[in-house]
Amino acid sequence: MSEYFSLEDCDVIGFDLDHTLCRYHLKETCMLIYESFARYLVEHKGYDKDLLNVTPDTWDFCFKGLVVDLEDGNLIKLAEDGTVLRATHGTRNLSTEEIIKHYGPKREWKHFNNLNTSFTRSAKYYFYDNYFDLPGALLCARVVDMLNKKGKEVTPDFWKDMVAAIDHNYNTSAFREDSGWYFPSVKRDTERYLQSCPESVCQWLRNLKESGKVLLLITSSHSDYCRLVCEHILGKDFEDLFDVIITNALKPGFFSLLPHQRPFRTLVSDVESGAGLSCLEKRGWFSQGNWPHLHNLLKSLTSKQQPKVVYFGDSMRSDMFPASTFAKWETVMILEEMEGEGIATEKHQLSASNQSSASSQGPAEKKGKFEECMKAPSAVSQQWGSYFVDVQMDEAGQEHLTLTWCCSSIHKYSSVAIPSVESIAALPLNFQFKRFSSAQSCTRGYYPSPPQSLQKRAES
């Protein structure tokens, strides 16, 4: 495989929608999601009302890449080999001795191999890898705190209520029925939560299509929410930008399931047809679906037996791993953590603090006093450290910078990582990106430059 990757070499360019083409105001959105989940637990399941009270300092706990161990209520941060780097019980940090008590002298998490090879979810654990469920990590930890405070045993049963809260707010009929708290709030004040795409991105999409590329939009969001988002960020004529739009794709199943397990369906007024399609024959807007049938359509649209596809997404579980593993697509991961930690751009040398503040907020974000003090969900956490690297001390007291499991997964299943689509919109189509490579430095593959923690690790 070439050491470089270029969009010019791709026949088809696909995009996820949420947190990929569409950037959210993360602070407002995460607060809304947390409140949506917490209100369900309080109002429908009888949980303590104190769950609704969150201080700015509380948000430091909110950190992408955590795994909740449902068997004992611990949240853990994993190294690339599956050892436990840091852990909490609820929101309380576990000491080294407590981690060893839970996970043995080698600090090995017993479910790591299953998660690392399949990225599937389990009744025994849950992996937080996107901003739509990330606030649930904080809520989950606070529920464990409350159970402990009341002297109640922590069992996986509380997770059933968490799942019910997620379903209540995100199920496919919630937008249409105005149920839950998430969709009604976004519909009522869309600009508060969604950032419009810069004109540079809209023009970039038009240029891609004019250059002969087939453009795809593949999102797990339902069609009605997709329409609201796309009209806000791209304009009323957004459908003209894409050859194929697939909503309610139910990733990662879109990539991993067989056609008879997940057929494509047509849509009429945002309602799916009852019968599944036996194949995909033309451009258009579809629901659900599977990779093999889409692949056959792409062969027809490109007149190539093996069209080269690249897919942009923000989730390892839903986008990077399944697209690269099952469909053998190139993948570009959107990592707002690159901005949250601090990166040096080609045009501007910003300090880590300025970059974190400016980039994670977005250009037009309106901040109240609470949001001013609140940690951005993409920024480095005081409690958990960096998303990419963790500082560990050996028995001799020497510091070691250890790659996290999330970071090593990015290197393994992504071609390139960027902080946003906007960061590459001005580049020529034939720009040569340095591809991730196991034989190269851990800083390779990030554009425009690697996160500061990885740069520091490489230098040390």
Side-chain angles (χ1 to χ4, degrees):
M1 183 178 290
S2 168
E3 292 185 14
Y4 294 89
F5 162 76
S6 172
L7 290 175
E8 186 177 48
D9 298 331
C10 299
D11 306 296
V12 181
I13 301 176
F15 299 93
D16 177 36
L17 177 59
D18 300 298
H19 302 289
T20 300
L21 274 182
C22 174
R23 293 191 72 173
Y24 285 72
H25 296 306
L26 288 183
K27 291 186 179 183
E28 275 81 358
T29 305
C30 283
M31 285 193 297
L32 171 62
I33 292 169
Y34 178 90
E35 183 184 4
S36 300
F37 293 169
R39 284 183 65 176
Y40 178 85
L41 294 185
V42 171
E43 297 179 16
H44 291 263
K45 298 294 182 178
Y47 281 70
D48 195 312
K49 290 182 180 179
D50 193 49
L51 283 177
L52 296 170
N53 300 322
V54 184
T55 66
D57 289 344
T58 309
W59 284 98
D60 182 69
F61 187 90
C62 224
F63 180 80
K64 199 166 79 174
L66 298 180
V67 177
V68 57
D69 191 335
L70 297 173
E71 294 176 301
D72 52 20
N74 293 346
L75 283 100
I76 56 178
K77 179 185 182 184
L78 296 169
E80 59 180 325
D81 63 356
T83 57
V84 177
L85 294 167
R86 304 189 192 199
T88 66
H89 182 70
T91 60
R92 180 182 66 84
N93 285 333
L94 294 183
S95 65
T96 300
E97 292 72 24
E98 288 175 310
I99 291 175
I100 290 173
K101 181 180 177 181
H102 278 281
Y103 303 105
K106 294 184 178 180
R107 301 166 64 139
E108 296 174 318
W109 183 54
K110 61 184 178 183
H111 301 298
F112 177 70
N113 188 58
N114 184 51
L115 176 61
N116 187 46
T117 55
S118 67
F119 288 83
T120 54
R121 288 173 177 160
S122 162
K124 299 183 184 298
Y125 61 82
Y126 188 92
F127 169 43
Y128 288 98
D129 89 319
N130 69 79
Y131 292 118
F132 271 156
D133 61 10
L134 178 58
L138 173 59
L139 181 60
C140 181
R142 296 191 72 207
V143 167
V144 171
D145 288 345
M146 288 186 173
L147 291 173
N148 288 332
K149 186 177 180 180
K150 294 178 179 180
K152 295 183 179 180
E153 184 182 357
V154 178
T155 69
D157 289 344
F158 81 91
W159 186 247
K160 296 176 183 176
D161 294 336
M162 288 291 299
V163 172
I166 294 170
D167 183 63
H168 180 70
N169 281 283
Y170 289 155
N171 75 69
T172 54
S173 64
F175 184 95
R176 182 175 66 253
E177 297 170 356
D178 253 0
S179 64
W181 292 274
Y182 178 78
F183 289 125
S185 298
V186 175
K187 280 197 281 187
R188 189 167 54 246
D189 194 0
T190 307
E191 192 169 331
R192 177 176 175 82
Y193 302 105
L194 274 59
Q195 300 183 34
S196 296
C197 273
E199 176 54 30
S200 61
V201 171
C202 298
Q203 186 58 51
W204 180 66
L205 293 172
R206 290 191 286 267
N207 291 345
L208 289 174
K209 199 167 184 186
E210 289 169 4
S211 68
K213 307 301 182 185
V214 174
L215 264 60
L216 311 175
L217 182 63
I218 308 176
T219 173
S220 290
S221 289
H222 199 263
S223 56
D224 45 16
Y225 185 64
C226 172
R227 192 181 305 279
L228 172 80
V229 172
C230 286
E231 287 186 355
H232 181 80
I233 69 169
L234 296 171
K236 297 287 186 181
D237 59 350
F238 73 91
E239 291 183 61
D240 296 339
L241 295 171
F242 303 100
D243 295 277
V244 180
I245 297 175
I246 301 167
T247 51
N248 198 25
L250 302 171
K251 298 175 293 182
F254 178 87
F255 295 104
S256 61
L257 297 180
L258 298 173
H260 72 273
Q261 295 173 300
R262 186 72 59 74
F264 278 99
R265 299 178 186 277
T266 56
L267 287 161
V268 178
S269 301
D270 292 319
V271 176
E272 294 179 355
S273 63
L277 301 176
S278 60
C279 62
L280 208 57
E281 298 179 328
K282 60 182 181 180
R283 294 174 169 85
W285 190 323
F286 305 93
S287 189
Q288 297 196 39
N290 58 85
W291 168 74
H293 279 173
L294 174 61
H295 181 65
N296 287 335
L297 174 63
L298 296 180
K299 289 196 292 185
S300 173
L301 295 180
T302 62
S303 300
K304 292 186 177 181
Q305 279 300 109
Q306 292 298 327
K308 187 171 183 178
V309 184
V310 60
Y311 187 63
F312 289 71
D314 71 300
S315 167
M316 182 57 62
R317 175 182 179 270
S318 299
D319 302 320
M320 302 297 104
F321 173 77
S324 62
T325 302
F326 299 106
K328 307 302 180 186
W329 288 356
E330 299 272 14
T331 54
V332 176
M333 189 162 192
I334 306 296
L335 272 176
E336 295 199 40
E337 283 72 20
M338 290 172 64
E339 290 178 337
E341 182 166 304
I343 56 173
T345 65
E346 292 181 346
K347 292 184 179 180
H348 305 284
Q349 298 297 319
L350 297 178
S351 70
S353 59
N354 287 342
Q355 181 78 352
S356 174
S357 173
S359 302
S360 57
Q361 294 303 320
E365 185 152 8
K366 299 176 182 178
K367 300 184 290 294
K369 289 183 179 179
F370 188 102
E371 292 85 357
E372 287 279 8
C373 303
M374 173 187 170
K375 180 191 85 75
S378 59
V380 175
S381 164
Q382 294 298 313
Q383 188 162 5
W384 293 106
S386 164
Y387 178 78
F388 303 95
V389 171
D390 200 86
V391 181
Q392 293 288 297
M393 304 291 289
D394 63 19
E395 294 178 355
Q398 295 292 315
E399 276 192 1
H400 292 276
L401 298 177
T402 305
L403 285 185
T404 64
W405 172 64
C406 289
C407 184
S408 65
S409 297
I410 292 164
H411 297 181
K412 188 174 182 180
Y413 298 109
S414 306
S415 306
V416 177
I418 59 176
S420 66
V421 171
E422 183 183 358
S423 67
I424 67 169
L427 297 176
L429 191 59
N430 63 354
F431 184 85
Q432 298 288 307
F433 294 92
K434 293 179 180 179
R435 186 192 295 274
F436 284 117
S437 168
S438 58
Q440 301 282 348
S441 166
C442 67
T443 60
R444 186 183 177 92
Y446 294 94
Y447 180 87
S449 62
Q452 290 185 351
S453 60
L454 285 176
Q455 190 70 52
K456 182 178 178 181
R457 182 178 185 270
E459 291 169 355
S460 66

